């Protein structure tokens, strides 16, 4: 009887070991997202106003997602930041693209699809495309400058083929 229990136990260990090894596998390194990690100052023009935002980017959930916390230095009358966001970016190897979830305090009305973006893998650029419907898009392009280890943010809205600038800012490590 003890031999049967021992065989069942060994069979269980034999079956479960590959599953545990697979679930604990470290994801491959992503140098573009790795370059985004750290503490940053974003300065430039957003929605026609000069702004300064504090950004902290770090890997979370077992190095599966890069989390960016973006907070404006400008405050509302109630003491809350004028702008506050949490952004999650991951790489989908199956589709060779980045996926992004962008949550912020500007509004969530009618944005059920508008908070999700995708970007094809490029060496020094993350060109996120948020699609609101068949004729309305928002482009957020983060370009890495290798020479000075900084980022350039360019954001545009597109509605019925009319493109408007929304943001132009630089991000440097602090």
């Amino acid at each position: 009887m003890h031999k049967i229990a021992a065989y069942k136990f060994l069979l269980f260990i034999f079956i479960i070991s590959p599953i545990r090894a697979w679930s604990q596998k470290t994801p491959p390194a992503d140098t573009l997202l790795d370059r985004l990690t750290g503490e940053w100052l974003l300065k430039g023009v957003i929605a026609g106003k000069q702004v300064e935002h504090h950004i902290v980017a770090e890997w979370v959930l077992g190095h599966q997602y890069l989390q960016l916390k973006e907070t404006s230095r400008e405050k509302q009358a109630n003491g809350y930041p004028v702008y506050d966001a949490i952004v999650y970016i991951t790489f989908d190897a199956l589709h060779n693209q980045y996926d992004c979830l962008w949550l912020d305090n500007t509004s969530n009305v009618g944005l059920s699809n508008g908070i999700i973006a995708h970007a094809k893998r490029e060496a020094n650029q993350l060109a996120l495309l948020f699609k609101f419907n068949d004729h309305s898009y928002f482009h957020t392009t983060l370009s890495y400058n290798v020479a000075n280890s900084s980022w350039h943010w360019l954001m545009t809205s597109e509605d019925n083929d009319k493109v408007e600038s929304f943001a132009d800012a630089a991000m440097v490590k602090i």
Side-chain angles (χ1 to χ4, degrees):
M1 189 65 142
H2 293 291
K3 284 185 179 181
I4 294 173
Y7 287 128
K8 284 182 180 180
F9 177 74
L10 288 174
L11 181 61
F12 173 77
I13 295 298
F14 178 75
I15 291 171
I16 199 72
S17 291
I19 293 169
R20 287 193 62 209
W22 174 76
S23 68
Q24 294 175 358
K25 185 170 64 172
T26 303
D30 188 306
T31 54
L32 183 63
L33 293 183
D34 282 338
R35 291 175 178 161
L36 267 171
T37 61
E39 191 171 355
W40 301 87
L41 175 63
L42 180 72
K43 288 176 74 170
V45 176
I46 298 178
K49 295 173 70 174
Q50 280 292 128
V51 299
E52 287 188 9
H53 292 187
H54 180 249
I55 297 175
V56 176
E58 63 184 345
W59 288 104
V60 296
L61 300 174
H63 206 88
Q64 294 290 323
Y65 297 88
L66 184 69
Q67 175 185 272
L68 282 80
K69 291 183 180 180
E70 179 181 355
T71 306
S72 66
R73 292 191 169 171
E74 183 183 2
K75 304 290 183 198
Q76 301 176 45
N78 62 9
Y80 290 119
V82 169
Y83 184 76
D84 203 15
I86 297 177
V87 179
Y88 293 96
I89 304 170
T90 189
F91 183 72
D92 176 355
L94 182 63
H95 296 100
N96 195 36
Q97 72 181 18
Y98 293 96
D99 296 325
C100 174
L101 172 66
W102 198 296
L103 306 169
D104 65 29
N105 66 337
T106 59
S107 174
N108 63 358
V109 177
L111 296 181
S112 59
N113 291 329
I115 60 173
I116 306 290
H118 306 285
K120 290 295 178 191
R121 179 175 244 170
E122 298 181 55
N124 292 314
Q125 182 172 280
L126 189 62
L128 298 165
L129 177 63
F130 296 87
K131 183 177 180 180
F132 299 112
N133 55 47
D134 288 337
H135 56 83
S136 184
Y137 308 92
F138 195 83
H139 304 268
T140 298
T141 304
L142 288 74
S143 301
Y144 183 69
N145 183 329
V146 177
N148 62 8
S149 301
S150 66
W151 289 87
H152 179 238
W153 287 36
L154 186 62
M155 298 176 174
T156 58
S157 61
E158 180 181 348
D159 195 14
N160 291 319
D161 296 324
K162 181 183 176 191
V163 178
E164 291 185 16
S165 177
F166 179 75
D168 191 348
M171 189 170 81
V172 294
K173 264 208 171 143
I174 53 176

